[in-house]
Amino acid sequence: MQEIELKFLLPESRLKGLLRQAQVKSSEVTQLAAHYYDTPDQQLAQAGIGLRIRKEGDAWVQTIKAGGDGIAARLEHNAPLDNEQVQAMLDSNTLMPDLSIYKNTSVAPALAEFKLKKLAKNLTRLYVTDVERTTRLLVDESDDEANNHVEMAYDCGEIIHGNDDSQRDVIQEIEFELVSGDIDFLFTTAKTWCKRYKLCLSTVTKAERGGLLITGQHHSPAVSADLDQLTINRDSSMPAFIRAVVHNCLLQILPNSSAIVAGSEDDDHILQLYIGIARLQAALQAFASYSDEINPDWLPIIKQTAALINDYQKLAYLASDIEPDLQQHGAPIVDWTADIDTLKMTPKDAVGANGFQLTLLELIAFTMSDPRLEPQADKPVIDKLAKTLSKQYAKLGKVAQILQSKKATDSDSITIENNDLKNDESQSVDSEITDLEITDLENVNSESDDIENSDIDNNDAEQAMHKLHQQLTTLLYISEFAAPLLEKKKSKKKTKRWLKRLVKAQTALNHYRNHIMYQQRYQLKSETDSNALYGAGWFAAMLTRDHKRSEKRLAKVIDSSIFW
């Protein structure tokens, strides 16, 4: 069967209040003692499979979990065991799972890559869990037929190393699992508890935490974008396509946000979360018309969270990486600790904010909703994608042309050669656009605005360059999403070349913007610490080179023939 559940971490400050709601008269308390199995090199974990034998009250159950959507849904198979046989094996220290029971079951495909007999011989108990579970059945009072049921389960206990019981990790989490009825009730319930008790979503399973314990790690490695997991085809409808794209973004966002709310301060988690949010923002902006179910309130919260994370990530990277590199080149020491401490929010604060967590819940619910119920369910996305990309490409070209026409002379500006968009389709789209919509990621209070020539007069070169970077980044991400459907068999090299040029231009422009920021940081710091003058001069010297490289690579994008 398929298990659909949402797991959360909870702040200590809200625990007493939550327990008052969890430990009501109708709730049940069960002791759960589980033994988790895998090969010594964790082959099952690498395949996304968890295998355990657990005592649930007075009964023993063998459970395997596998597959699913990578977020809230997983395949689960439970097999009751004979209590006397289990006890005998426990007494002789020979308790092991029986893999033969999975033949011809729903989880068999997940085990297809393994030879079960060989796998069984290599299994070992890696860790155990000792948990007190408090469960409460929540019923939808607005449902006249009382079909909607969700089980709330609060778990408190420990994960214990299988070979060294001195190595332990605390378990304190709450789960909501759909028992029966409409999945909307699951999300409505989770949102209510999330809002009340400031819960934070976590995709980290107990099996994953056990694997981390035995390898001596606190958090799983950062997760980057994986377009191979984008489940679309040429027959996908517009609503199905945008759901698949949002789901792909969440596969990057949720593991990294889970690590951060659990305490990770790792630069990679922060960076990959930021990239995931940026990809999501680009998708929601460019493909907004593909679904009537997209909530316009999502985007401002996503943008605000991205801006807060970006502020911290850039300054933390400056302190942890840039500063040591400069010192290796002879720069005097500059201490950035106080500057980091003055930031209003850490990534954990930003990610754990209730507004962002509720938005994540709504996005997950969106990806799990049925696209066939939408008015545009009969509209193939293949008929719309080319126009969407052409419109974004035209926006990029128009910004470049506006900047060139102003002949900016500031050394920090970007000038582009007067290149016309050569594709006829792009030209036709450009001619239809009289105003150019630009979204400013770092100004979290701004609305999308139209760029006219006067806008460049009223903004400095840095702001104009930032807007250009935003258009380029959006074009890159939506091109990556659309490429599998639009590229033709005979022109895959052309598609790869196009994406490669976009990546190079976006990377160069990003380096340029970052170096401007670092130069400004050191320049400002020099007012109170003369040691910072070295860094200010260093980055000022790099900007001319960065400017030329960005200009050259951006011109190649503007000059390129499109792949769609």
Side-chain angles (χ1 to χ4, degrees):
M1 69 175 187
Q2 187 180 56
E3 171 193 60
I4 302 177
E5 71 174 19
L6 299 164
K7 184 195 299 287
F8 297 87
L9 303 181
L10 60 153
E12 192 69 32
S13 61
R14 298 281 175 155
L15 180 57
K16 289 184 179 179
L18 184 143
L19 288 179
R20 283 196 294 269
Q21 290 297 317
Q23 297 172 340
V24 296
K25 289 184 179 180
S26 60
S27 64
E28 296 182 1
V29 178
T30 308
Q31 292 298 133
L32 303 176
H35 303 250
Y36 284 80
Y37 297 85
D38 203 336
T39 61
D41 55 353
Q42 298 194 60
Q43 293 179 25
L44 290 179
Q46 293 171 22
I49 299 172
L51 178 63
R52 74 176 183 230
I53 296 177
R54 185 169 74 179
K55 187 177 184 181
E56 303 177 1
D58 295 326
W60 285 91
V61 179
Q62 179 175 313
T63 298
I64 189 169
K65 296 186 179 185
D69 65 357
I71 297 176
R74 297 191 77 189
L75 290 175
E76 179 178 324
H77 184 282
N78 295 297
L81 303 177
D82 183 278
N83 284 5
E84 292 184 2
Q85 291 181 1
V86 171
Q87 189 58 52
M89 287 188 285
L90 284 172
D91 292 341
S92 60
N93 198 28
T94 59
L95 181 63
M96 293 295 290
D98 178 7
L99 300 183
S100 66
I101 64 177
Y102 300 123
K103 293 180 180 179
N104 303 318
T105 67
S106 60
V107 297
L111 293 168
E113 65 178 276
F114 299 99
K115 294 180 179 180
L116 294 187
K117 289 184 178 180
K118 182 178 179 180
L119 177 62
K121 291 180 180 179
N122 291 329
L123 287 179
T124 184
R125 189 187 72 172
L126 295 184
Y127 48 91
V128 299
T129 60
D130 184 11
V131 172
E132 181 180 86
R133 168 167 288 185
T134 303
T135 58
R136 175 185 170 188
L137 191 64
L138 306 173
V139 181
D140 185 1
E141 296 179 355
S142 65
D143 178 20
D144 294 335
E145 299 180 2
N147 289 327
N148 296 329
H149 296 155
V150 165
E151 183 183 72
M152 181 281 301
Y154 167 70
D155 288 347
C156 182
E158 292 181 309
I159 299 176
I160 307 165
H161 196 295
N163 298 319
D164 182 1
D165 61 9
S166 68
Q167 296 187 45
R168 299 170 179 242
D169 192 17
V170 174
I171 296 173
Q172 186 168 283
E173 57 193 27
I174 185 168
E175 300 173 0
F176 298 91
E177 180 178 356
L178 182 65
V179 177
S180 63
D182 193 337
I183 195 173
D184 287 345
F185 180 57
L186 171 65
F187 285 97
T188 300
T189 302
K191 285 174 62 179
T192 299
W193 285 67
C194 181
K195 185 181 299 184
R196 185 178 300 166
Y197 301 109
K198 311 303 180 188
L199 306 179
C200 293
L201 275 161
S202 175
T203 58
V204 184
T205 65
K206 292 181 179 68
E208 185 178 347
R209 291 185 61 184
L212 293 171
L213 177 66
I214 63 174
T215 56
Q217 299 173 281
H218 295 292
H219 308 285
S220 295
V223 175
S224 57
D226 185 357
L227 289 165
D228 289 337
Q229 296 188 60
L230 180 60
T231 53
I232 56 174
N233 56 61
R234 293 180 67 86
D235 295 326
S236 295
S237 67
M238 290 167 56
F241 174 81
I242 181 58
R243 280 168 171 78
V245 167
V246 171
H247 179 267
N248 189 260
C249 295
L250 289 175
L251 289 178
Q252 181 179 10
I253 291 170
L254 289 170
N256 294 304
S257 66
S258 297
I260 291 170
V261 296
S264 173
E265 297 179 350
D266 187 84
D267 288 342
D268 286 341
H269 284 129
I270 298 170
L271 175 60
Q272 290 303 323
L273 174 61
Y274 176 77
I275 293 172
I277 294 176
R279 294 172 68 233
L280 177 63
Q281 179 183 329
L284 292 177
Q285 289 178 162
F287 304 130
S289 64
Y290 287 25
S291 170
D292 294 344
E293 299 299 320
I294 292 177
N295 187 342
D297 293 335
W298 293 340
L299 201 53
I301 293 173
I302 290 168
K303 291 166 60 178
Q304 181 180 37
T305 305
L308 292 169
I309 292 172
N310 189 48
D311 287 345
Y312 182 94
Q313 191 269 332
K314 290 292 189 289
L315 186 53
Y317 184 78
L318 188 153
S320 64
D321 291 73
I322 299 297
E323 178 63 23
D325 284 348
L326 289 180
Q327 290 176 26
Q328 287 184 358
H329 288 85
I333 296 175
V334 177
D335 187 358
W336 294 96
T337 305
D339 301 78
I340 294 175
D341 290 342
T342 59
L343 291 177
K344 294 180 180 179
M345 279 194 173
T346 65
K348 184 176 181 178
D349 296 328
V351 175
N354 215 218
F356 183 64
Q357 290 295 319
L358 292 170
T359 298
L360 289 179
L361 274 174
E362 291 184 8
L363 288 164
I364 296 171
F366 172 68
T367 65
M368 299 184 74
S369 62
D370 192 345
R372 295 172 298 180
L373 301 179
E374 289 212 37
Q376 301 184 88
D378 60 341
K379 295 182 179 180
V381 72
I382 199 73
D383 296 341
K384 181 76 170 178
L385 278 177
K387 185 175 181 180
T388 300
L389 292 186
S390 293
K391 182 177 180 180
Q392 184 63 33
Y393 185 43
K395 288 180 179 182
L396 175 66
K398 188 169 184 179
V399 178
Q401 290 172 1
I402 291 173
L403 291 176
Q404 189 277 335
S405 68
K406 290 299 176 182
K407 301 183 184 300
T409 57
D410 189 281
S411 61
D412 289 343
S413 67
I414 288 185
T415 58
I416 306 297
E417 293 184 63
N418 188 13
N419 296 306
D420 294 324
L421 298 183
K422 296 182 178 180
N423 181 270
D424 291 337
E425 185 177 9
S426 295
Q427 290 177 340
S428 65
V429 174
D430 188 87
S431 65
E432 294 172 1
I433 300 174
T434 56
D435 296 319
L436 182 57
E437 186 178 275
I438 296 288
T439 303
D440 183 357
L441 173 64
E442 294 177 358
N443 183 355
V444 298
N445 296 316
S446 69
E447 299 291 339
S448 296
D449 58 347
D450 293 332
I451 285 190
E452 301 288 355
N453 289 355
S454 60
D455 288 323
I456 305 301
D457 292 332
N458 296 329
N459 291 301
D460 60 17
E462 180 186 345
Q463 179 66 11
M465 180 267 293
H466 168 73
K467 292 177 179 179
L468 184 64
H469 178 264
Q470 284 302 108
Q471 292 297 337
L472 182 63
T473 299
T474 298
L475 181 60
L476 169 61
Y477 289 145
I478 67 173
S479 295
E480 289 178 334
F481 293 134
L485 302 186
L486 293 180
E487 67 178 3
K488 299 174 177 62
K489 290 183 179 179
K490 296 182 179 180
S491 60
K492 286 189 175 181
K493 289 184 179 180
K494 184 177 181 181
T495 302
K496 289 182 179 179
R497 184 166 58 249
W498 165 266
L499 292 174
K500 187 176 181 179
R501 286 181 175 177
L502 275 179
V503 170
K504 284 187 174 181
Q506 195 262 1
T507 301
L509 203 52
N510 196 47
H511 279 311
Y512 185 28
R513 293 177 63 240
N514 288 342
H515 289 172
I516 290 175
M517 184 274 291
Y518 295 144
Q519 196 277 334
Q520 292 173 342
R521 285 277 187 183
Y522 275 100
Q523 189 66 47
L524 182 63
K525 186 77 168 178
S526 69
E527 296 177 4
T528 56
D529 183 355
S530 60
N531 285 354
L533 286 171
Y534 187 104
W538 177 280
F539 283 107
M542 294 180 68
L543 290 180
T544 300
R545 182 203 64 181
D546 293 338
H547 168 221
K548 291 180 179 179
R549 180 179 296 172
S550 300
E551 185 178 54
K552 180 180 179 180
R553 291 183 174 177
L554 185 59
K556 284 187 176 181
V557 172
I558 301 299
D559 261 344
S560 296
S561 58
I562 58 179
F563 70 89
W564 57 88

